[in-house]
Protein backbone atom coordinates (compact mmCIF):
# COMPACT_ATOMS: atom_id res chain seq x y z
CA UNK A 1 0.00 0.00 0.00
CA UNK A 2 2.83 2.38 0.79
CA UNK A 3 4.51 1.77 -2.56
CA UNK A 4 1.24 2.16 -4.45
CA UNK A 5 0.52 5.39 -2.58
CA UNK A 6 4.01 6.73 -3.36
CA UNK A 7 3.55 5.87 -7.03
CA UNK A 8 0.21 7.64 -7.15
CA UNK A 9 1.72 10.71 -5.46
CA UNK A 10 4.46 10.73 -8.11
CA UNK A 11 1.81 10.59 -10.83
CA UNK A 12 0.14 13.63 -9.29
CA UNK A 13 3.35 15.62 -9.73
CA UNK A 14 3.80 14.42 -13.31
CA UNK A 15 0.23 15.43 -14.19
CA UNK A 16 0.55 18.89 -12.55
CA UNK A 17 0.31 20.78 -15.91
CA UNK A 18 -3.18 19.25 -16.40
CA UNK A 19 -4.63 21.13 -13.47
CA UNK A 20 -3.98 21.98 -9.87
CA UNK A 21 -7.19 20.55 -8.38
CA UNK A 22 -6.94 17.28 -10.28
CA UNK A 23 -3.30 16.89 -9.33
CA UNK A 24 -4.04 17.71 -5.70
CA UNK A 25 -6.89 15.18 -5.62
CA UNK A 26 -4.65 12.44 -7.02
CA UNK A 27 -1.92 13.34 -4.51
CA UNK A 28 -4.39 13.15 -1.61
CA UNK A 29 -5.65 9.80 -2.89
CA UNK A 30 -2.11 8.46 -2.90
CA UNK A 31 -1.50 9.86 0.57
CA UNK A 32 -4.68 8.24 1.91
CA UNK A 33 -3.69 4.91 0.37
CA UNK A 34 -0.27 5.10 1.99
CA UNK A 35 -1.88 6.09 5.30
CA UNK A 36 -3.86 2.85 5.29
CA UNK A 37 -0.56 0.99 5.71
CA UNK A 38 0.56 3.14 8.65
CA UNK A 39 -0.97 0.91 11.37
CA UNK A 40 1.13 -1.98 10.07
CA UNK A 41 4.34 -0.01 10.59
CA UNK A 42 3.28 1.42 13.93
CA UNK A 43 2.36 -1.98 15.36
CA UNK A 44 5.21 -3.90 13.73
CA UNK A 45 7.95 -3.38 16.37
CA UNK A 46 6.04 -5.09 19.17
CA UNK A 47 4.93 -8.00 17.03
CA UNK A 48 8.40 -8.42 15.57
CA UNK A 49 10.02 -8.45 19.01
CA UNK A 50 7.47 -10.92 20.39
CA UNK A 51 7.71 -13.41 17.52
CA UNK A 52 11.37 -13.33 16.55
CA UNK A 53 13.30 -12.70 19.74
CA UNK A 54 13.69 -14.56 23.01
CA UNK A 55 12.43 -13.23 26.30
CA UNK A 56 15.77 -11.71 27.24
CA UNK A 57 16.21 -10.00 23.85
CA UNK A 58 12.74 -8.53 23.40
CA UNK A 59 13.37 -5.26 25.20
CA UNK A 60 16.43 -4.46 23.10
CA UNK A 61 14.67 -5.49 19.87
CA UNK A 62 11.63 -3.38 20.69
CA UNK A 63 13.81 -0.39 21.55
CA UNK A 64 15.82 -0.63 18.34
CA UNK A 65 12.82 -1.12 16.04
CA UNK A 66 10.93 1.72 17.70
CA UNK A 67 14.01 3.92 17.35
CA UNK A 68 14.18 3.15 13.62
CA UNK A 69 10.58 4.30 13.28
CA UNK A 70 11.48 7.63 14.86
CA UNK A 71 14.65 7.96 12.77
CA UNK A 72 12.61 7.27 9.63
CA UNK A 73 10.19 10.04 10.55
CA UNK A 74 13.11 12.41 11.13
CA UNK A 75 14.59 11.57 7.73
CA UNK A 76 11.17 12.24 6.23
CA UNK A 77 11.27 15.73 7.71
CA UNK A 78 14.89 16.52 6.78
CA UNK A 79 15.13 15.05 3.26
CA UNK A 80 12.45 17.06 1.35
CA UNK A 81 14.21 20.45 1.66
CA UNK A 82 17.21 18.88 -0.10
CA UNK A 83 15.03 18.28 -3.18
CA UNK A 84 12.39 21.01 -3.16
CA UNK A 85 13.03 24.73 -3.54
CA UNK A 86 11.34 27.88 -4.76
CA UNK A 87 12.24 29.18 -8.18
CA UNK A 88 12.81 32.81 -9.11
CA UNK A 89 9.13 33.23 -10.00
CA UNK A 90 8.02 31.74 -6.68
CA UNK A 91 7.09 28.38 -8.18
CA UNK A 92 7.98 25.10 -6.48
CA UNK A 93 10.79 23.13 -8.12
CA UNK A 94 12.12 19.67 -7.41
CA UNK A 95 8.89 17.97 -6.33
CA UNK A 96 9.07 15.31 -9.06
CA UNK A 97 12.54 14.02 -8.04
CA UNK A 98 11.40 13.93 -4.40
CA UNK A 99 8.27 11.92 -5.17
CA UNK A 100 10.17 9.63 -7.52
CA UNK A 101 12.84 8.94 -4.91
CA UNK A 102 10.15 8.19 -2.30
CA UNK A 103 8.44 5.76 -4.67
CA UNK A 104 11.76 4.12 -5.58
CA UNK A 105 12.84 3.70 -1.96
CA UNK A 106 9.45 2.27 -1.10
CA UNK A 107 9.64 -0.17 -4.02
CA UNK A 108 13.18 -1.23 -3.04
CA UNK A 109 11.99 -2.11 0.46
CA UNK A 110 9.60 -4.70 -0.93
Amino acid sequence: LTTAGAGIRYLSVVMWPIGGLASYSVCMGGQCLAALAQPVFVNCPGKLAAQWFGLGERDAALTITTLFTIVGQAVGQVLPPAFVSRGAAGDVQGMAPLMLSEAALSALSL
Side-chain angles (χ1 to χ4, degrees):
L1 287 175
T2 302
T3 303
I8 291 171
R9 286 192 317 244
Y10 174 68
L11 289 176
S12 75
V13 174
V14 172
M15 66 181 274
W16 180 256
I18 294 172
L21 183 61
S23 178
Y24 179 75
S25 299
V26 170
C27 183
M28 286 305 295
Q31 185 66 27
C32 289
L33 186 62
L36 289 174
Q38 187 66 21
V40 173
F41 293 112
V42 171
N43 296 323
C44 185
K47 191 165 189 160
L48 178 85
Q51 290 184 351
W52 282 56
F53 294 95
L55 203 55
E57 301 169 327
R58 286 185 189 163
D59 291 338
L62 185 60
T63 301
I64 291 169
T65 54
T66 302
L67 183 64
F68 275 118
T69 302
I70 295 167
V71 168
Q73 292 171 353
V75 169
Q77 294 294 318
V78 172
L79 194 60
F83 286 93
V84 180
S85 63
R86 287 217 181 261
D91 57 334
V92 177
Q93 297 176 343
M95 192 63 96
L98 173 66
M99 293 296 176
L100 182 61
S101 65
E102 287 180 0
L105 286 173
S106 178
L108 284 175
S109 69
L110 292 176

